[in-house]
């Protein structure tokens, strides 16, 4: 069994919506299928985000939610942006999730590596991300892939209530 990473297609939407909703639940957010689908497809179709899927190639016909015999088990969504300080492109790896049953297959690592490769190919000088303080498994993955915890800046958020 091997992991393939590729841009999400229309055929992947059902699987990605399910994974996206699981991801949001991890962060204590509950969103109906229709809203999750609308958000993901709008971001992807407008070019606001780069939506990648990790698919396992088990051989033969894959289960429902698969494309060409590939079972979609994870996704990553990044937002290309700009860095004023460096006068360069930058990407934010905002969302990464692998189905619990597929953890340990290398899917998360493959998604991180492919995101970083695509960012570099697009001329971005960095990929940044944030993860929960207690998400030690993700922190270990990111650090093993060369991500460095920020020691120079505190990051803040202002909730507008909109």
């Amino acid at each position: 069994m091997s992991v393939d990473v590729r841009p999400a297609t229309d055929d992947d939407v059902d699987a990605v919506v399910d994974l996206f909703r699981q991801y949001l639940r991890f962060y204590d957010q509950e969103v109906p299928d229709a809203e999750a689908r609308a958000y993901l497809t709008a971001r992807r179709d407008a070019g606001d985000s780069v939506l990648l899927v990790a698919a396992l190639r088990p051989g033969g016909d894959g289960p429902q939610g698969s494309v060409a015999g590939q079972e979609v088990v994870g996704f990553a969504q990044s937002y290309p942006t700009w860095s004023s300080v460096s006068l360069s492109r930058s990407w934010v790896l905002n969302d990464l999730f692998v189905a619990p049953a597929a953890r340990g297959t290398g899917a998360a690592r493959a998604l991180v590596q492919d995101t970083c490769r695509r960012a570099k190919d697009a001329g971005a000088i960095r990929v940044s991300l944030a993860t929960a303080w207690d998400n030690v498994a993700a922190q270990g993955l990111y650090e093993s892939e060369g991500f460095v915890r920020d020691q120079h800046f505190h990051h803040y958020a202002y909730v507008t209530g909109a």
Side-chain angles (χ1 to χ4, degrees), residues 24-105:
L24 292 173
R25 272 187 223 112
F26 178 82
Y27 287 105
D28 297 322
Q29 300 297 312
E30 191 64 44
V31 176
D33 276 356
E35 287 182 40
R37 180 182 310 280
Y39 179 83
L40 288 169
T41 57
R43 298 291 66 73
R44 182 197 67 180
D45 294 349
D48 296 337
S49 74
V50 177
L51 184 60
L52 303 174
V53 296
L56 297 181
R57 247 185 310 151
D61 293 331
Q64 184 177 5
S66 66
V67 176
Q70 295 185 336
E71 179 188 0
V72 174
V73 297
F75 80 98
Q77 182 165 229
S78 299
Y79 295 94
T81 188
W82 291 92
S83 168
S84 300
V85 173
S86 64
L87 307 177
S88 301
R89 291 191 74 46
S90 177
W91 279 26
V92 177
L93 174 52
N94 206 71
D95 311 312
L96 176 74
F97 185 81
V98 172
R103 292 181 184 160
T105 63

Side-chain angles (χ1 to χ4, degrees), residues 82-151:
W82 291 92
S83 168
S84 300
V85 173
S86 64
L87 307 177
S88 301
R89 291 191 74 46
S90 177
W91 279 26
V92 177
L93 174 52
N94 206 71
D95 311 312
L96 176 74
F97 185 81
V98 172
R103 292 181 184 160
T105 63
R109 186 173 304 280
L111 284 162
V112 169
Q113 290 173 346
D114 201 68
T115 296
C116 292
R117 180 190 59 78
R118 288 172 187 273
K120 182 177 180 178
D121 290 350
I125 62 159
R126 80 174 142 266
V127 175
S128 59
L129 59 85
T131 192
W133 285 89
D134 61 351
N135 194 347
V136 177
Q139 293 166 25
L141 168 65
Y142 300 138
E143 290 171 10
S144 74
E145 287 298 320
F147 284 78
V148 178
R149 188 177 303 205
D150 193 326
Q151 301 294 318

